[in-house]
């Protein structure tokens, strides 16, 4: 028994080290590519249009959180405990998220239509809203729960690499502002397609929704605290950009956002330390 416990400890340490290396490296690469592409298109768009992009992105983060609905944390918890069919859990979460994505998309379109921010802003809100649909298929919680974070590492790199490459190649003037959210949609779709490929071909699993009132109620009620916590945290760190965007000029928001992006890049690096340990803590 002593040697078995020692073996388990060594195995867990190796898993943590492997996951820390893969997800940590991927997050650094992803954040760095995002930082570079923002710096690139900020220079091309100018301060005013960069302010519009920043406002649309700030609003999008709330609907991103709404679409995810706290299922990342709940999903990791349930997969780590191994008490629910993974195929049913994945299918049910994606089903609920697609409904949330549709609601979020429609609200974003309405905000764009009824906000006096110009025609460019209307288009930005609609295209950015499309990112919610591939986001609904994000199953990073599954690979976190199974401690196979190398798949999430690739997901994060794909999500950032596609917009980075496409933006550098095709964005040449400020009149092409719609390309920025369009490339983000492509990146999200490519990353989610990779997740689905691994789920189907590597893990030999399928998305099998088993929708019942009780199951939907269980998922929503148990994920709601995580959603509310995330939204409160987001309000604390993001509401300033939205207020500036609506009460001041696009130029002022552009100047503010250009500095804030640097801070945001550094803050996101904190997640690299916590992520590999979370599934272990759930099991304990």
């Amino acid at each position: 028994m002593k040697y078995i416990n020692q073996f388990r400890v060594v195995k867990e340490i190796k898993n943590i080290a492997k996951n820390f290396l893969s997800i940590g490296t991927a997050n650094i690469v992803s954040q760095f590519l995002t930082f570079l592409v923002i710096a690139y298109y900020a220079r091309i768009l100018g301060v005013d249009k960069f302010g519009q992009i920043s406002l649309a992105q700030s609003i999008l983060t709330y609907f991103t959180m709404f679409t995810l609905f706290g299922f990342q944390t709940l999903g990791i918890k349930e997969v780590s405990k191994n008490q629910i069919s993974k195929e049913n859990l994945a299918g049910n979460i994606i089903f609920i998220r697609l409904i949330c994505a549709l609601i979020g998309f429609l609200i974003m379109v309405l905000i764009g239509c009824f906000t006096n921010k110009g025609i460019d802003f209307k288009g930005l809100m609609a295209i950015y809203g499309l990112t919610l649909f591939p986001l609904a298929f994000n199953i990073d919680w599954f690979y976190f729960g199974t401690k196979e974070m190398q798949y999430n590492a690739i997901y994060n790199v794909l999500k950032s690499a596609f917009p980075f490459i496409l933006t550098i190649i095709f964005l040449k003037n400020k009149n092409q502002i719609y390309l920025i959210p369009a490339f983000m949609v492509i990146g999200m779709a490519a990353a989610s397609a990779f997740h689905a490929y691994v789920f189907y071909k590597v893990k030999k699993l399928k998305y099998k929704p088993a929708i019942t009132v009780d199951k939907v109620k269980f998922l929503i009620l148990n994920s709601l605290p995580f959603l509310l916590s995330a939204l409160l945290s987001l309000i604390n760190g993001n509401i300033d950009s939205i207020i500036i965007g609506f009460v001041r000029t696009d130029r002022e928001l552009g100047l503010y956002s250009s500095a804030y992006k640097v801070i945001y890049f550094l803050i996101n690096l904190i997640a690299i330390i916590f992520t590999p340990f979370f599934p272990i803590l759930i099991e304990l």
Side-chain angles (χ1 to χ4, degrees), residues 31-51:
Q31 292 295 328
F32 186 63
L33 290 178
T34 300
F35 180 77
L36 288 180
V37 77
I38 290 174
Y40 176 79
Y41 68 64
R43 180 174 60 85
I44 291 178
L45 295 180
V47 178
D48 290 343
K49 289 191 179 294
F50 181 66

Side-chain angles (χ1 to χ4, degrees), residues 120-166:
D120 283 346
F121 186 72
K122 292 180 173 62
L124 289 173
M125 290 293 286
I127 301 174
Y128 269 124
L130 293 175
T131 64
L132 300 176
F133 294 102
L135 178 69
F137 288 89
N138 179 347
I139 54 171
D140 59 352
W141 52 268
F142 174 81
Y143 301 113
F144 280 129
T146 58
K147 305 185 191 71
E148 298 172 298
M149 299 181 194
Q150 67 272 20
Y151 299 126
N152 290 336
I154 297 173
Y155 175 94
N156 289 336
V157 172
L158 289 175
K159 182 179 66 174
S160 301
F162 270 89
F164 174 79
I165 294 171
L166 293 173

Side-chain angles (χ1 to χ4, degrees), residues 37 40-46 49 164-180 183:
V37 77
Y40 176 79
Y41 68 64
R43 180 174 60 85
I44 291 178
L45 295 180
K49 289 191 179 294
F164 174 79
I165 294 171
L166 293 173
T167 301
I168 297 298
I169 294 174
F170 294 106
L171 185 68
K172 301 303 178 185
N173 62 73
K174 63 182 181 179
N175 294 324
Q176 298 173 303
I177 189 172
Y178 294 144
L179 291 180
I180 296 171
F183 293 154

Side-chain angles (χ1 to χ4, degrees), residues 40-205:
Y40 176 79
Y41 68 64
R43 180 174 60 85
I44 291 178
L45 295 180
V47 178
D48 290 343
K49 289 191 179 294
F50 181 66
Q52 289 189 336
I53 282 280
S54 297
L55 179 58
Q57 290 174 340
S58 295
I59 296 173
L60 174 66
T61 54
Y62 288 91
F63 293 101
T64 295
M65 202 65 68
F66 174 68
T67 300
L68 293 175
F69 210 86
F71 288 136
Q72 305 102 297
T73 309
L74 178 64
I76 295 172
K77 174 174 172 288
E78 296 303 327
V79 170
S80 297
K81 290 164 56 179
N82 201 29
Q83 293 182 346
I84 298 179
S85 166
K86 297 179 177 64
E87 293 181 320
N88 291 154
L89 183 63
N92 290 346
I93 286 178
I94 290 173
F95 176 80
I96 297 172
R97 280 182 171 177
L98 282 172
I99 295 175
C100 294
L102 179 60
I103 295 171
F105 171 75
L106 293 175
I107 295 176
M108 286 191 67
V109 170
L110 289 175
I111 291 174
C113 290
F114 291 99
T115 301
N116 186 26
K117 299 293 291 184
I119 189 67
D120 283 346
F121 186 72
K122 292 180 173 62
L124 289 173
M125 290 293 286
I127 301 174
Y128 269 124
L130 293 175
T131 64
L132 300 176
F133 294 102
L135 178 69
F137 288 89
N138 179 347
I139 54 171
D140 59 352
W141 52 268
F142 174 81
Y143 301 113
F144 280 129
T146 58
K147 305 185 191 71
E148 298 172 298
M149 299 181 194
Q150 67 272 20
Y151 299 126
N152 290 336
I154 297 173
Y155 175 94
N156 289 336
V157 172
L158 289 175
K159 182 179 66 174
S160 301
F162 270 89
F164 174 79
I165 294 171
L166 293 173
T167 301
I168 297 298
I169 294 174
F170 294 106
L171 185 68
K172 301 303 178 185
N173 62 73
K174 63 182 181 179
N175 294 324
Q176 298 173 303
I177 189 172
Y178 294 144
L179 291 180
I180 296 171
F183 293 154
M184 183 176 174
V185 174
I186 294 172
M188 291 295 302
S192 295
F194 170 75
H195 261 178
Y197 172 81
V198 174
F199 196 74
Y200 274 83
K201 298 297 184 181
V202 179
K203 307 301 293 182
K204 306 299 182 183
L205 299 172

Side-chain angles (χ1 to χ4, degrees), residues 130-281:
L130 293 175
T131 64
L132 300 176
F133 294 102
L135 178 69
F137 288 89
N138 179 347
I139 54 171
D140 59 352
W141 52 268
F142 174 81
Y143 301 113
F144 280 129
T146 58
K147 305 185 191 71
E148 298 172 298
M149 299 181 194
Q150 67 272 20
Y151 299 126
N152 290 336
I154 297 173
Y155 175 94
N156 289 336
V157 172
L158 289 175
K159 182 179 66 174
S160 301
F162 270 89
F164 174 79
I165 294 171
L166 293 173
T167 301
I168 297 298
I169 294 174
F170 294 106
L171 185 68
K172 301 303 178 185
N173 62 73
K174 63 182 181 179
N175 294 324
Q176 298 173 303
I177 189 172
Y178 294 144
L179 291 180
I180 296 171
F183 293 154
M184 183 176 174
V185 174
I186 294 172
M188 291 295 302
S192 295
F194 170 75
H195 261 178
Y197 172 81
V198 174
F199 196 74
Y200 274 83
K201 298 297 184 181
V202 179
K203 307 301 293 182
K204 306 299 182 183
L205 299 172
K206 295 180 180 180
Y207 302 134
K208 292 183 178 179
I211 305 300
T212 65
V213 173
D214 288 339
K215 289 181 178 179
V216 171
K217 183 179 179 181
F218 168 82
L219 289 173
I220 291 177
L221 291 180
N222 282 275
S223 62
L224 195 58
F226 301 122
L227 171 63
L228 295 177
S229 175
L231 286 175
L232 290 173
S233 176
L234 187 60
I235 290 171
N236 182 57
N238 180 265
I239 195 66
D240 48 353
S241 296
I242 293 179
I243 293 174
I244 293 172
F246 282 113
V247 303
R248 307 298 295 181
T249 65
D250 292 336
R251 180 178 179 80
E252 288 173 299
L253 177 58
L255 291 171
Y256 178 84
S257 297
S258 62
Y260 185 76
K261 298 295 184 184
V262 178
I263 303 300
Y264 186 73
F265 167 73
L266 297 174
I267 291 174
N268 280 343
L269 296 179
I270 298 174
I272 297 173
I273 300 173
F274 174 73
T275 301
F277 292 93
F278 187 64
I280 306 297
L281 296 175

